[in-house]
Amino acid sequence: GAKMKERNIAAIATPPGKGGVAIVRISGDSPLSIAEKMFVPSGKTAVKDFRPYRLYPGEIDGGTFTDYGLCVYFKAPASYTGEDVVEFHCHGGENIARGILKRTFRLGASAAGRGEFTKRAFLNGKLSLASAEGIADMINGESEAEVKAGYLLYSERLTGKVREIQDVLKEVLAGIDAAIDYPEEGIEEESTDDIRLALQRAKGEVSVLLSGYAKGKKIKSGVTVALCGKPNTGKSSLLNRLLGYEKAIVSDIAGTTRDAVEGVLEIDGVRFNLYDTAGMRESGDEIENIGIERAENIVRSADLVVFVADSAAGTDGEDARVLELAEGKPLVKVFNKIDLTNDETETDADVLTSAVTGEGIERLKELLYEKSFGSRGEDAAFLIEERHYDALKRAETALKRAVAACGELSLDLVGIDVGNAWESLGEITGETASESIIEEIFSKFCVGK
């Protein structure tokens, strides 16, 4: 499509503060004309003759001062925004970058808004809306897995899948039009079967994408793990061992842990938020009763339950309460304190540990990961954005209706549902996203991106 000739915008693209290098970025219809007025190259090449994608050393004029740095030109459309882009790489003192930016404003550039460079990239077809959200997730990622999930989104994995489904729906719509336009005998029945099959396949693909949301959500917010078990089974010591530092208060008196103690552990780049629950038992102590109630709530809302039994003591009715609460959730059964027992009794535990010697701790970490995500090392493009989940859910509903209507209702009515499904999917890629959705997404960015 026609490229928009947009005004020049400028911003500092590096974080605030002192550093080795700061970057001032200008994008628009004529950033080179601004560079000509404020950059004196060291070599013989004039700014207007700069070859794209090469760094040229020289003096950057900040108006009231001069800095020695580099200038690079990215020629449209082969640039981040799809427009002409110029960057100055100057020394990383806050006032240097700010002074150079101010000079670009005096020479006619406007201050870039939040995410405006990426927004222009999206509007110029350099990346999809989902991909832009992936960049935001990478920048804001608090764990390695979030950054990775953001990158998979940025690298158009999800968009690619969604576009494939959209293409199938486009073909179906074309088939429906043909069947309606040429209502000769038989064509309609024949195409109805083909259409139903294609729609069922598309619905299946959408459902597969949706099933990745539970995992994606865990990547974004971390996996909540409840550590449960009778008082004094060594849960706190086990927590300390997992975290590698003294986080919980450890004492020999049963029922010491009254509060939910939190610790964060990263396994394969994913955050696991560990909550140690007060040992669950009936108690006359008012404070401890409150602790027990909290503990039950933690177990209910956990993604994963680690049930710790003291291998010497075995399990009993008191443990049954915990297991009942954890019903239906992924569960890891741990026998702890194996350093104290020598018996080789058969157990139904998933892992035997000793918080004292550290035995079994690595295996426990592996189990936490596997119970949450399946085997390690899969690079699935999980759904990590609620907005995408919502759009896919609406597409799935429309496709269910369309499949049910095939053969029951006239094809033009089936077509309405297929069209709706296509529209919902377009919200992810950006083809049908409303102006307000687009605004909201880019407002999450920092200035300069």
Side-chain angles (χ1 to χ4, degrees), residues 242-243 245 247 262-266 270-274:
L242 275 170
L243 298 171
Y245 57 87
K247 173 83 189 201
E262 301 170 41
V264 179
L265 173 70
E266 230 178 73
V270 178
R271 266 181 320 172
F272 284 76
N273 303 314
L274 306 176

Side-chain angles (χ1 to χ4, degrees), residues 337-379:
K337 301 193 184 179
I338 53 170
D339 50 293
L340 301 179
T341 55
N342 302 318
D343 55 353
E344 294 295 312
T345 49
E346 282 296 301
T347 77
D348 60 347
D350 296 306
V351 60
L352 303 170
T353 60
S354 161
V356 177
T357 65
E359 195 179 331
I361 298 292
E362 278 312 305
R363 178 67 193 129
L364 173 55
K365 286 183 185 177
E366 276 173 24
L367 282 169
L368 293 181
Y369 189 91
E370 283 166 19
K371 294 263 183 186
S372 305
F373 296 101
S375 60
R376 291 160 113 161
E378 287 173 15
D379 264 358

Side-chain angles (χ1 to χ4, degrees), residues 21-23 39 41-43 45 50-58 68-74 86-90:
V21 178
I23 295 174
F39 189 73
S42 302
T45 320
F50 274 5
R51 286 169 58 187
Y53 325 115
R54 298 188 82 166
L55 285 163
Y56 290 92
Y68 189 80
L70 299 162
C71 180
V72 58
Y73 165 53
F74 301 92
V86 165
E87 283 178 2
F88 293 121
H89 296 214
C90 59

Side-chain angles (χ1 to χ4, degrees), residues 231-350:
N232 219 25
T233 49
K235 295 195 307 292
S236 298
S237 308
L238 195 64
L239 180 70
N240 288 340
R241 194 80 204 204
L242 275 170
L243 298 171
Y245 57 87
E246 297 291 311
K247 173 83 189 201
I249 312 154
V250 180
S251 108
D252 290 335
I253 307 158
T256 313
T257 309
R258 291 196 160 156
D259 226 354
V261 178
E262 301 170 41
V264 179
L265 173 70
E266 230 178 73
I267 308 171
D268 271 18
V270 178
R271 266 181 320 172
F272 284 76
N273 303 314
L274 306 176
Y275 291 85
D276 179 4
T277 57
M280 295 201 194
R281 58 202 182 94
E282 289 308 315
S283 152
D285 182 335
E286 187 57 36
I287 300 177
E288 201 174 319
N289 277 333
I290 295 168
I292 290 170
E293 200 174 308
R294 281 196 59 187
E296 293 185 353
N297 289 336
I298 288 167
V299 176
R300 279 195 199 97
S301 60
D303 298 312
L304 176 68
V305 175
V306 174
F307 174 65
V308 186
D310 176 335
S311 58
T315 55
D316 59 23
E318 207 172 299
D319 299 322
R321 171 88 182 119
V322 180
L323 296 172
E324 189 187 317
L325 279 173
E327 194 74 45
K329 292 181 187 292
L331 178 79
V332 179
K333 225 170 175 186
V334 180
F335 269 175
N336 190 32
K337 301 193 184 179
I338 53 170
D339 50 293
L340 301 179
T341 55
N342 302 318
D343 55 353
E344 294 295 312
T345 49
E346 282 296 301
T347 77
D348 60 347
D350 296 306

Side-chain angles (χ1 to χ4, degrees), residues 39-299:
F39 189 73
V40 181
S42 302
K44 293 190 169 61
T45 320
V47 173
K48 62 177 189 336
D49 301 324
F50 274 5
R51 286 169 58 187
Y53 325 115
R54 298 188 82 166
L55 285 163
Y56 290 92
E59 288 185 346
I60 310 167
D61 180 2
T64 52
F65 66 90
T66 302
D67 185 26
Y68 189 80
L70 299 162
C71 180
V72 58
Y73 165 53
F74 301 92
K75 190 174 166 55
S79 73
Y80 181 69
T81 57
E83 306 175 320
D84 275 359
V85 174
V86 165
E87 283 178 2
F88 293 121
H89 296 214
C90 59
H91 286 102
E94 258 182 88
N95 292 321
I96 302 176
R98 220 177 272 150
I100 290 169
L101 178 64
K102 277 191 189 143
R103 184 83 210 279
T104 69
F105 294 159
R106 284 200 293 275
L107 293 170
S110 318
R114 280 172 170 270
E116 196 172 352
F117 292 103
T118 309
K119 185 177 177 183
R120 288 187 176 194
F122 161 66
L123 294 172
N124 287 327
K126 300 299 289 183
L127 42 77
S128 70
L129 203 52
S131 176
E133 287 166 286
I135 296 174
D137 287 328
M138 280 176 78
I139 294 169
N140 299 323
E142 282 178 24
S143 70
E144 204 182 295
E146 257 186 283
V147 172
K148 210 156 124 189
Y151 180 73
L152 290 171
L153 193 52
Y154 169 51
S155 62
E156 306 282 14
R157 284 271 185 103
L158 178 66
T159 310
K161 282 249 177 285
V162 169
R163 287 213 167 110
E164 279 170 28
I165 302 169
Q166 279 188 298
D167 288 344
V168 171
L169 299 186
K170 256 188 198 155
E171 275 175 39
V172 167
L173 286 169
I176 287 175
D177 285 346
I180 292 168
D181 291 346
Y182 302 100
E184 282 93 79
E185 299 310 295
I187 281 197
E188 190 151 338
E189 269 115 73
E190 206 176 295
S191 25
T192 301
D193 289 342
D194 292 347
I195 286 167
R196 186 188 291 108
L197 272 175
L199 290 176
Q200 270 166 340
R201 264 206 306 274
K203 184 176 115 0
E205 297 272 332
V206 170
S207 303
V208 167
L209 287 175
L210 280 168
S211 68
Y213 183 59
K215 289 180 181 177
K217 224 162 94 173
K218 285 185 216 157
I219 284 176
K220 217 171 155 96
S221 49
V223 180
T224 307
V225 182
L227 280 176
C228 311
K230 273 209 305 291
N232 219 25
T233 49
K235 295 195 307 292
S236 298
S237 308
L238 195 64
L239 180 70
N240 288 340
R241 194 80 204 204
L242 275 170
L243 298 171
Y245 57 87
E246 297 291 311
K247 173 83 189 201
I249 312 154
V250 180
S251 108
D252 290 335
I253 307 158
T256 313
T257 309
R258 291 196 160 156
D259 226 354
V261 178
E262 301 170 41
V264 179
L265 173 70
E266 230 178 73
I267 308 171
D268 271 18
V270 178
R271 266 181 320 172
F272 284 76
N273 303 314
L274 306 176
Y275 291 85
D276 179 4
T277 57
M280 295 201 194
R281 58 202 182 94
E282 289 308 315
S283 152
D285 182 335
E286 187 57 36
I287 300 177
E288 201 174 319
N289 277 333
I290 295 168
I292 290 170
E293 200 174 308
R294 281 196 59 187
E296 293 185 353
N297 289 336
I298 288 167
V299 176

